[in-house]
Amino acid sequence: AIFGLSTFISSYLIYNVDKRIGEDNLQHLALFTDYGRIALQAMEEENPSSKHKQPFQTLEFLIRDFQDYDDEDDVDACVESMGPYLERILESSNRDTSEVRDQINICFEKLGVFGLTHPGKQVPKPKYNGDLSCVEPSFCALVHRLATRVFGTNSARPTAKELEHEAGAVVKKRIAERYITSADLFEYVRQFVKVFHDSLNGDGVFPEAKTLLAAAAEANNYNAMEANLASYKKAMDLVCGVKQPYVALGKIEESHKEYLKLALLHFDRIATMGSKDRIAEFRDKLELKITEMKEDYIANNANKRPDILRFITILLMISSLVYLSSSMLNIFCWPPQTLGFDFEYADMCGGALSVMRDVYLTIFVFIVLTLLTSCWGSIGPLLQVALAGQQATPEKKNQ
């Protein structure tokens, strides 16, 4: 089960074998090559016109205690001899594993092999304390070449030779032609572990390739749904999130339609594994969850709406206070003695009254406009219905 799980979640799988690549080692890959064959067939049935990549990325056979090197001290020659060795293994005429050999070539994008010589006579002994001076120099050189071949060179200024042999082969994991994230990987592992657990605890046999493909499809479609939910939320947070001020309901609806469409389009590009009915179920779940999120955004946005009633009450109080003050001031004002404004008491009193009237009239007009604006969401549709009815009446008369 661990070997199978490693195959499914690894972008670079190192298959550790002893002394040589045997027929039993190839047979261990039979289930996963069968999975790869079924996966390719399913993708071709879904989209026959496009070319699909292999379901697995890289398989490297790592041979311990390899004994077929002509000169173990010549590291370059040893590495170059690995290619012909792998070709001989994969071109074997053994009928029992001929189909597996063919499927290995089809299911993995890259195949490789690397042989490590025996580390030395002192290493296997119980008294060995890890002293590198006891390890064969050829083994150390091959380990260095293998490590840099897999992970890349750590040299600040790599030479041309280092760039050629030590570029690094580990890449991001890709499933269904899409690079997966850490959250995606968790869901794939969860689905695969569940399949292995149910199979081994049920009839005690290894799960079939179709079951594993169904688990991969389930994880892929779930990840597609979650990724687009996150994208929708990120986009809507910029429009009407917690940190945003109150926005009009129409803007929320308009943004929702736009981002819902984008989420569904992106989901359709990612969710390409499994039956169409199962994909449609995840798509419907995505749309339902996005709709529920929209309702939450609308409710939270309503809570940020200014308290119109309290605001208008304060303005009315100010307006009333100004009106009462102007009325009282008017009692103590009398007509001016001169025609021009010469800063006498009557002129100053009249100017103050004029300013007060302008203030409470302005406040009153502002209150009316505020009420109309806040109620437009309810009045607007009624006016549209009324106008539509008036336009329909002449048409009926003409008929």
Side-chain angles (χ1 to χ4, degrees), residues 264 267 279-289:
L264 294 177
F267 175 87
I279 292 175
E281 288 181 18
F282 276 101
R283 195 178 194 276
D284 292 341
K285 285 182 181 179
L286 172 63
E287 189 168 1
L288 177 61
K289 288 186 176 183

Side-chain angles (χ1 to χ4, degrees), residues 258-319:
E258 178 184 355
Y259 297 132
L260 171 62
K261 182 178 179 181
L262 290 175
L264 294 177
L265 287 174
H266 194 221
F267 175 87
D268 293 337
R269 287 197 296 267
I270 299 175
T272 56
M273 299 179 66
S275 65
K276 293 182 179 180
D277 291 340
R278 191 60 180 153
I279 292 175
E281 288 181 18
F282 276 101
R283 195 178 194 276
D284 292 341
K285 285 182 181 179
L286 172 63
E287 189 168 1
L288 177 61
K289 288 186 176 183
I290 286 180
T291 303
E292 292 174 352
M293 290 176 68
K294 181 202 74 171
E295 297 301 326
D296 291 339
Y297 278 116
I298 292 176
N300 292 331
N301 184 66
N303 294 332
K304 294 184 288 185
R305 187 169 186 165
D307 193 341
I308 300 297
L309 182 60
R310 181 182 299 177
F311 181 63
I312 290 177
T313 302
I314 294 173
L315 290 178
L316 284 174
M317 291 177 64
I318 296 173
S319 178

Side-chain angles (χ1 to χ4, degrees), residues 337-355:
Q337 300 297 323
T338 59
L339 294 177
F341 187 86
D342 51 4
F343 294 97
E344 64 175 313
Y345 172 78
D347 292 332
M348 299 293 292
C349 186
L353 287 174
S354 178
V355 170

